[in-house]
Amino acid sequence: MKFCSQCGSSRIVLRVPDGDNLPRFVCAECGTIHYQNPKIVVGCLPEWEGRVLLCKRAIEPRYGLWTLPAGFLENGETIVAGALRETLEEAHARVEPTDLYTVISLPQINQVYMVFRARLIDLDFGPGSESLEVKLCEEAEIPWESLAFRTITRTLRNYFLDRKQGDFPVRVSALERRPPLPPDLLAAG
Amino acid sequence: MKFCSQCGSSRIVLRVPDGDNLPRFVCAECGTIHYQNPKIVVGCLPEWEGRVLLCKRAIEPRYGLWTLPAGFLENGETIVAGALRETLEEAHARVEPTDLYTVISLPQINQVYMVFRARLIDLDFGPGSESLEVKLCEEAEIPWESLAFRTITRTLRNYFLDRKQGDFPVRVSALERRPPLPPDLLAAG
């Protein structure tokens, strides 16, 4: 933030406002406090006769890697509506959400992922503009080494484990930054 | 949004960017797209021997009404850490979170509430700067007519019903805008 979105001043300072305890971007000209907060990513894990629907990304980041249909929750939207919209946009798939399944905090990038399990309503799906390909995968067909995000890997791993137990409790967790590579691996590039 | 926070231009237009399908605030000068997304409110329902901890608000909105300790999730924070922080700030209370309990979308005000059930660790609590009073309430003592937010009413109602069943499933719901008053009540002020 370089300019105040309310008055246009460039006198933006990072300071702790009165009565607050965290530094915020504050306009020294008009006093507006510019709060910044985490965003919510909502998505679905669409199921069809034991298989799950994955999308191959047609956009950065992680172009060409596989993901579940998911994206940023929009203003004016419930989390269920957002998950359905993303599934329709990215996989042209219509689903009936069953239950909230994983809730994963990503504090390093200021996001919270929320993935619903969902029943695919029919097989009339295909790639939206942000996907190269959409396909149903058996557990043995999941491209574990080519998944786009750790949130997706965790959600799918939990899913196949929980499915063996026949129970899908809501799984709340966090993914912190990856530990840095040890020096020998860093040196190896 | 009146000025671009990146370049300071006042040429902010509301339009659908290429490849998008919703109108955004876009800077016609430098092209920056200013996305706006819902915020997350995290909080706790602290329990102690069948009673729950409520806070009487010392700030607007809803000054003087009762709430559960809750507030906006901060950047860099997990949802559990945020819920614990708010409970410490507003009620000076230390809790051990048990499970995520209610997740309530408020699409009209672009918020998603997430409330955890939590065990109060000790009775050493008291009002933080945003609270006038903090107290433990039996079910019969809950000030139903003086609760600050419908999210809190819904969470507490669910809680006392679920407690009778001995099971606390995660409850995902939405609160849309209150229906307008019928004409005869409107006329009555």
Side-chain angles (χ1 to χ4, degrees):
Chain A
M1 162 153 297
K2 298 171 187 163
F3 297 88
C4 177
S5 56
Q6 282 304 302
C7 78
S9 167
S10 64
R11 294 177 57 208
I12 301 292
V13 293
L14 192 65
R15 70 169 177 83
V16 180
D18 292 346
D20 202 342
N21 49 26
L22 283 177
R24 315 282 180 185
F25 289 109
V26 179
C27 177
E29 196 72 30
C30 74
T32 299
I33 303 169
H34 299 280
Y35 294 97
Q36 296 183 325
N37 298 86
K39 292 183 197 292
I40 301 171
V41 176
V42 285
C44 282
L45 192 166
E47 307 164 297
W48 178 273
E49 294 179 357
R51 291 178 294 169
V52 302
L53 195 72
L54 297 184
C55 303
K56 192 174 189 176
R57 288 173 66 82
I59 53 170
E60 296 292 350
R62 315 295 165 85
Y63 179 98
L65 298 183
W66 292 88
T67 188
L68 293 168
F72 289 115
L73 183 67
E74 299 283 2
N75 276 355
E77 201 172 48
T78 68
I79 55 172
V80 172
L84 295 181
R85 175 184 51 74
E86 288 290 341
T87 305
L88 190 61
E89 286 178 5
E90 299 191 353
H92 289 173
R94 283 147 299 279
V95 294
E96 185 182 357
T98 47
D99 286 302
L100 180 61
Y101 182 45
T102 50
V103 181
I104 307 177
S105 294
L106 299 162
Q108 305 283 354
I109 56 171
N110 307 319
Q111 292 180 4
V112 176
Y113 257 70
M114 305 181 75
V115 180
F116 289 81
R117 289 190 304 120
R119 275 185 297 269
L120 206 52
I121 289 172
D122 56 46
L123 291 178
D124 182 20
F125 59 79
S129 63
E130 299 185 358
S131 303
L132 297 169
E133 186 184 345
V134 176
K135 69 174 178 183
L136 282 169
C137 295
E138 304 274 359
E139 180 176 3
E141 297 165 341
I142 301 288
W144 294 108
E145 300 305 314
S146 303
L147 294 177
F149 304 107
R150 287 196 293 160
T151 48
I152 303 303
T153 305
R154 177 171 290 185
T155 298
L156 288 170
R157 286 211 185 281
N158 280 340
Y159 171 77
F160 290 113
L161 288 170
D162 286 342
R163 199 168 71 172
K164 290 179 179 61
Q165 309 296 324
D167 185 32
F168 296 94
V170 178
R171 298 204 168 271
V172 177
S173 66
L175 278 168
E176 309 284 339
R177 190 188 291 277
R178 278 179 201 277
L181 290 172
D184 53 334
L185 284 181
L186 269 181
Chain B
M1 162 154 299
K2 299 171 188 163
F3 296 89
C4 175
S5 57
Q6 282 305 301
C7 77
S9 167
S10 64
R11 294 177 55 208
I12 301 292
V13 294
L14 191 64
R15 71 168 176 86
V16 180
D18 292 345
D20 201 342
N21 49 26
L22 283 177
R24 316 282 180 183
F25 289 110
V26 179
C27 177
E29 196 73 30
C30 73
T32 299
I33 304 170
H34 299 280
Y35 295 97
Q36 297 184 326
N37 299 86
K39 293 183 197 290
I40 302 171
V41 176
V42 285
C44 283
L45 193 166
E47 307 163 297
W48 178 271
E49 295 180 356
R51 292 179 292 169
V52 302
L53 195 72
L54 296 183
C55 303
K56 191 174 190 175
R57 289 174 64 82
I59 53 172
E60 294 296 347
R62 316 294 165 87
Y63 179 98
L65 298 183
W66 292 87
T67 188
L68 292 168
F72 289 115
L73 182 68
E74 298 283 1
N75 275 356
E77 201 172 50
T78 68
I79 55 173
V80 172
L84 295 181
R85 175 184 51 73
E86 288 290 341
T87 306
L88 190 60
E89 285 179 6
E90 298 190 355
H92 289 171
R94 281 147 300 279
V95 293
E96 184 181 359
T98 47
D99 286 302
L100 180 60
Y101 182 45
T102 50
V103 181
I104 307 176
S105 295
L106 299 162
Q108 305 282 355
I109 57 170
N110 307 319
Q111 292 180 4
V112 176
Y113 258 70
M114 305 180 74
V115 179
F116 289 81
R117 290 190 304 122
R119 274 185 297 271
L120 205 52
I121 289 173
D122 56 47
L123 292 177
D124 181 20
F125 59 78
S129 62
E130 298 185 0
S131 303
L132 297 168
E133 186 183 345
V134 176
K135 69 174 179 185
L136 282 169
C137 295
E138 303 276 358
E139 180 176 1
E141 297 166 339
I142 301 288
W144 294 107
E145 301 306 314
S146 304
L147 295 178
F149 304 106
R150 286 196 294 160
T151 50
I152 303 303
T153 305
R154 177 172 290 186
T155 298
L156 289 171
R157 287 213 185 277
N158 280 339
Y159 171 77
F160 290 113
L161 288 169
D162 287 342
R163 198 168 74 173
K164 290 180 179 62
Q165 308 296 324
D167 185 32
F168 296 94
V170 178
R171 297 204 168 270
V172 177
S173 66
L175 277 169
E176 310 284 340
R177 190 188 292 276
R178 278 179 202 277
L181 289 173
D184 53 335
L185 283 180
L186 270 180

